Amino acid sequence: MAILKLEDGTKLRELQDIAPELVSLNIQLNHWNVGDNPQIQRLLKQDSLNEDEKEQLLQALDNYFEQLQQTAGYQSRDLIVLHPGIPNLDGMLAKFDQIHTHADDEVRYIIDGEAIFGFVRPDGSQVELTVQPEEYINVPAGTEHWFYLTPAKRVKAVRYFISTEGWVPQYTGREIRDRQTVA
Ligand SMILES: [Fe+2]
């Protein structure tokens, strides 16, 4: 279950408590089941996946993609697999750990591991949301946010795109006030 950390250090762990804190950002946070297919569960436990294995996972979860295609015009999806064995993982992640926006929504379905999204709310306050397995998040276009991994540095996430150009980061130059891991 997701964890939301407020700037005063309060940690909220229930969706019913977290949702009101994200209302001003129009962020969608939903629970989506991965299912109990043993082959899928086996792939989720692996650190790394080859292209065939990624495609197996994506196809097993394509019912969610089809919904997004029909309701919101999504065009493509891929699977990002991050783990400590990836060379230059920190360098790759550095692109997203400063406050930025995108021209399109940032839409992720976490299926293994976890990741932290930080947000600047309209009142200027900053919050950090740890998103965990079987959680879907939609960060609306234009939302000031940042992204990093917990110390385990492990996540598998399906990314859904209307256009891949839309998610190039635009840095806003604002400072993150109090970064710390929520785990
Ligand atoms: Fe982003």
Side-chain angles (χ1 to χ4, degrees):
M1 196 61 244
I3 304 163
L4 185 74
K5 184 171 73 72
L6 307 179
E7 266 184 290
D8 68 2
T10 305
K11 289 177 186 172
L12 305 175
R13 295 168 189 275
E14 300 294 332
L15 197 53
Q16 66 199 46
D17 299 325
I18 292 171
E21 297 290 341
L22 300 178
V23 158
S24 62
L25 292 163
N26 288 317
I27 285 168
Q28 287 178 46
L29 180 66
N30 299 117
H31 183 90
W32 281 6
N33 283 314
V34 167
D36 53 9
N37 179 320
Q39 169 70 357
I40 298 307
Q41 291 298 328
R42 188 182 64 76
L43 291 174
L44 289 173
K45 287 190 179 71
Q46 291 180 203
D47 266 353
S48 63
L49 297 170
N50 64 34
E51 290 307 310
D52 284 349
E53 290 167 333
K54 285 185 185 178
E55 192 56 32
Q56 277 184 54
L57 270 179
L58 285 167
Q59 287 183 13
L61 300 167
D62 264 349
N63 54 321
Y64 297 120
F65 177 47
E66 284 158 17
Q67 284 174 29
L68 290 172
Q69 282 179 301
Q70 287 162 16
T71 61
Y74 278 74
Q75 300 289 332
S76 62
R77 87 291 191 252
D78 67 11
L79 178 64
I80 186 158
V81 177
L82 302 178
H83 58 85
I86 292 180
N88 194 30
L89 177 62
D90 290 340
M92 283 169 56
L93 291 168
K95 199 172 166 187
F96 302 107
D97 73 359
Q98 296 301 314
I99 295 180
H100 63 276
T101 63
H102 304 284
D104 281 347
D105 296 0
E106 182 165 324
V107 183
R108 302 286 183 267
Y109 174 28
I110 307 294
I111 56 176
D112 174 66
E114 59 186 11
I116 298 171
F117 286 85
F119 303 108
V120 181
R121 296 192 289 194
D123 66 1
S125 61
Q126 299 184 2
V127 297
E128 286 191 336
L129 181 70
T130 304
V131 184
Q132 296 185 319
E134 302 196 304
E135 290 174 345
Y136 163 88
I137 185 167
N138 183 323
V139 180
T143 304
E144 284 189 272
H145 68 280
W146 64 98
F147 175 91
Y148 64 107
L149 299 182
T150 57
K153 294 188 178 183
R154 178 181 167 117
V155 72
K156 293 184 184 67
V158 185
R159 309 188 298 181
Y160 301 99
F161 299 105
I162 291 176
S163 80
T164 45
E165 295 80 32
W167 92 291
V168 174
Q170 310 286 333
Y171 299 101
T172 66
R174 195 194 296 261
E175 288 295 317
I176 300 169
R177 280 198 289 271
D178 178 28
R179 175 176 311 188
Q180 67 181 55
T181 299
V182 188

